[in-house]
Amino acid sequence: MNTERHPTTRAPGEQGPSGPSSPYGPPASGIEIPDALAASHARYFGEVGRAWTAGLPDLAADFMERWRLRADGPSFHGVVALVLPVICADGTPAALKLQLVEEETLGEPVALRAWDGNGSVRLLCDSTESGAMLLERLNPSRSLSAVQDDLAALQILSELLARLVALPAPEGLRRLADVTAAMLDHVPWAQARLADPGDRRLLDTCAGAVRELLGEPGDRLLHWDLHYDNVLASHPSSSGREPWLAIDPKPLAGDPGFELLPALDNRWDEIVSRGDVARAVLRRFDLMTEVLGLDRRRAVGWTLGRVLQNALWDVEDGEGAIRPEQKAIAAALLARPGSP
Ligand SMILES: Nc1ncnc2c1ncn2[C@@H]1O[C@H](COP(=O)(O)OP(=O)(O)O)[C@@H](O)[C@H]1O
Ligand SMILES: [Mg+2]
């Protein structure tokens, strides 16, 4: 089945197929695959990841021809995606994002289409089948990580998040209810692999907290991965239509309380160096729940759900302990009177 999306499949300024002497396509020097991206794909996706990175230069070349794009400077990457700055046929600066098609990445174009540029990067066109997206160009050198004042950065992130989760999730996205049920199924397996009784107790506490919330998993469009590096300043060419925009959603349909953790453990070294970790965690948590208008008890429960999710992944990766920052966040929230 051809899953390419219409009518957004045509890139800005695209007239039709490019001819043999096309000015579009990759730079003559070819597309280099960053070593760190190849390494993370091999680590997380094994043989499938290695095959994907091996095919990446051809995939990029294919989409640059197909969508009539010219390369415009060095590429960027995170753990999952390769992002190539490009110029469209009509001169619009854009970004070609390529990522492996899998459960987590499948929903990205669905969410971006729903937000339609309100608080998020705009999707210009996409090919769901290949994991290729053409995005509005933002400023890759300026993310919220560059904003020195931590609470000012968090305020911006929380205001964006409040706008993003205001929308009901469109059909077809992964559901928090299913994700949570699968997590709970894995708890006994993970318990057996945690060495420290304190870690095992914490896993149980987290599981108990989300079990209580299972009946009301929520139906909002969640970003799921909104940390400082996933909020970029807009590009000068956009006349600053919004100062900051969210990128890189791994969307879910669910309760916004599940959104807080990636911003709570941002810049963890700064929190630790200031000394009073619990106080700093609660200050971040209170700011976020206030801006998002969340019920704090439920938000604690879903944040413990996120601690559970991270712990389960770590155990799957062969770890025998829960990470210190995850424990510190859970401890700070659980120490509050009235917590689950
Ligand atoms: N629309 C965009 N415009 C400019 N640069 C971008 C854009 N989207 C992503 N980038 C750059 O590419 C990097 C990786 O993209 P991201 O979508 O966060 O992928 P990952 O899932 O690998 O983290 C970002 O940190 C940023 O530097
Ligand atoms: Mg990212």
Side-chain angles (χ1 to χ4, degrees):
M1 188 180 72
N2 180 5
T3 52
E4 278 201 17
R5 299 282 169 171
H6 296 280
T8 51
T9 309
R10 182 159 286 197
E14 185 180 351
Q15 305 295 314
S18 50
S21 60
S22 160
Y24 308 112
S29 56
I31 287 165
E32 276 190 35
I33 306 308
D35 289 345
L37 183 68
S40 66
H41 272 269
R43 176 167 177 220
Y44 294 116
F45 304 110
E47 215 28 69
V48 173
R50 271 186 280 273
W52 185 79
T53 39
L56 200 43
D58 284 348
L59 186 69
D62 178 24
F63 277 96
M64 293 187 76
E65 287 285 344
R66 200 191 295 192
W67 287 340
R68 295 180 151 235
L69 308 170
R70 278 186 289 119
D72 187 31
S75 63
F76 296 86
H77 69 91
V79 174
V80 175
L82 181 71
V83 177
L84 301 165
V86 293
I87 303 280
C88 301
D90 66 357
T92 310
L96 176 62
K97 177 168 176 173
L98 300 165
Q99 59 191 359
L100 187 72
V101 180
E102 46 97 35
E103 204 189 13
E104 272 193 14
T105 55
L106 254 181
E108 180 164 350
V110 180
L112 293 179
R113 206 171 287 115
W115 287 319
D116 194 22
N118 289 308
S120 79
V121 66
R122 261 189 223 290
L123 178 67
L124 304 177
C125 57
D126 74 296
S127 165
T128 308
E129 211 169 47
S130 327
M133 283 177 290
L134 189 63
L135 302 169
E136 164 188 23
R137 177 92 67 88
L138 304 179
N139 183 348
S141 324
R142 188 162 163 75
S143 76
L144 275 185
S145 294
V147 173
Q148 292 290 318
D149 180 338
D150 183 50
L151 291 182
L154 192 61
Q155 178 80 27
I156 294 168
L157 181 144
S158 305
E159 286 172 8
L160 274 181
L161 201 47
R163 289 168 59 201
L164 299 178
V165 302
L167 259 62
E171 286 296 307
L173 287 184
R174 291 187 306 153
R175 297 179 327 139
L176 180 57
D178 300 331
V179 170
T180 308
M183 288 197 295
L184 291 173
D185 284 348
H186 275 82
V187 169
W189 174 88
Q191 288 286 26
R193 283 157 183 83
L194 286 172
D196 177 35
D199 283 2
R200 292 200 291 271
R201 271 197 303 278
L202 177 56
L203 210 67
D204 259 347
T205 305
C206 292
V210 285
R211 217 172 267 124
E212 274 186 33
L213 296 169
L214 258 186
E216 294 173 82
D219 66 351
R220 300 290 93 187
L221 175 50
L222 307 186
H223 181 291
W224 186 84
D225 198 21
L226 203 64
H227 51 74
Y228 292 166
D229 287 334
N230 277 342
V231 179
L232 297 185
S234 58
H235 190 258
S237 67
S238 71
S239 318
R241 67 174 187 84
E242 289 205 31
W244 298 100
L245 292 159
I247 61 165
D248 199 16
K250 311 272 187 279
L252 279 178
D255 188 303
F258 204 61
E259 290 281 52
L260 309 184
L261 193 76
L264 293 177
D265 65 12
N266 259 319
R267 291 189 189 170
W268 190 252
D269 293 348
E270 280 179 36
I271 288 210
V272 172
S273 69
R274 279 193 218 113
D276 192 342
V277 169
R279 190 157 163 260
V281 167
L282 293 178
R283 199 159 56 180
R284 284 185 176 182
F285 179 83
D286 289 349
L287 186 155
M288 294 189 82
T289 47
E290 170 113 19
V291 173
L292 283 148
L294 299 183
D295 173 79
R296 287 209 172 131
R297 195 181 145 81
R298 290 176 62 79
V300 167
W302 282 119
T303 303
L304 294 175
R306 203 62 187 268
V307 170
L308 176 65
Q309 189 173 48
N310 286 335
L312 292 173
W313 278 336
D314 285 346
V315 174
E316 272 170 32
D317 284 348
E319 300 293 333
I322 300 180
R323 272 180 277 151
E325 84 280 2
Q326 303 292 308
K327 287 198 265 201
I329 290 170
L333 297 177
L334 284 164
R336 266 203 166 157
S339 290

